[in-house]
């Protein structure tokens, strides 16, 4: 009985108590995530490029 009651309560919470984002909010959030991902990837690329340049310089001395 507990399992059936748990499923009913979960369904009730999912349908009546959960607030779902609108299509506009979802699109805006997706754009924010896309921009943040691009910025983060550029930062990581720049750090990698700097580290590679420094290591090439250091190993070039020996």
């Amino acid at each position: 009985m507990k399992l059936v009651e748990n499923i009913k309560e979960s369904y009730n919470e999912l349908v009546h108590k959960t607030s779902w984002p609108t299509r506009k909010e979802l699109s805006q959030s997706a754009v924010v995530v896309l921009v943040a991902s691009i910025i983060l990837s550029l930062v990581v690329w720049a750090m990698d490029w700097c580290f590679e340049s420094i290591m090439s310089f250091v190993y070039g001395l020996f």
Side-chain angles (χ1 to χ4, degrees):
M1 276 320 266
K2 285 185 177 184
L3 178 64
V4 173
E5 185 179 327
N6 188 0
I7 292 173
K8 286 180 182 179
E9 289 177 3
S10 297
Y11 176 78
N12 184 33
E13 184 174 345
L14 181 67
V15 172
H16 300 291
K17 297 180 181 178
T18 304
S19 62
W20 297 97
T22 63
R23 191 170 197 73
K24 184 178 178 182
E25 291 171 337
L26 198 59
S27 297
Q28 290 173 345
S29 296
V31 170
V32 168
V33 169
L34 178 65
V35 169
S37 298
I38 290 171
I39 291 171
L40 185 60
S41 66
L42 289 173
V43 168
V44 170
W45 173 80
M47 290 171 54
D48 181 54
W49 181 79
C50 289
F51 186 70
E52 180 184 358
S53 298
I54 291 168
M55 296 314 291
S56 294
F57 176 73
V58 168
Y59 286 128
L61 293 177
F62 296 113

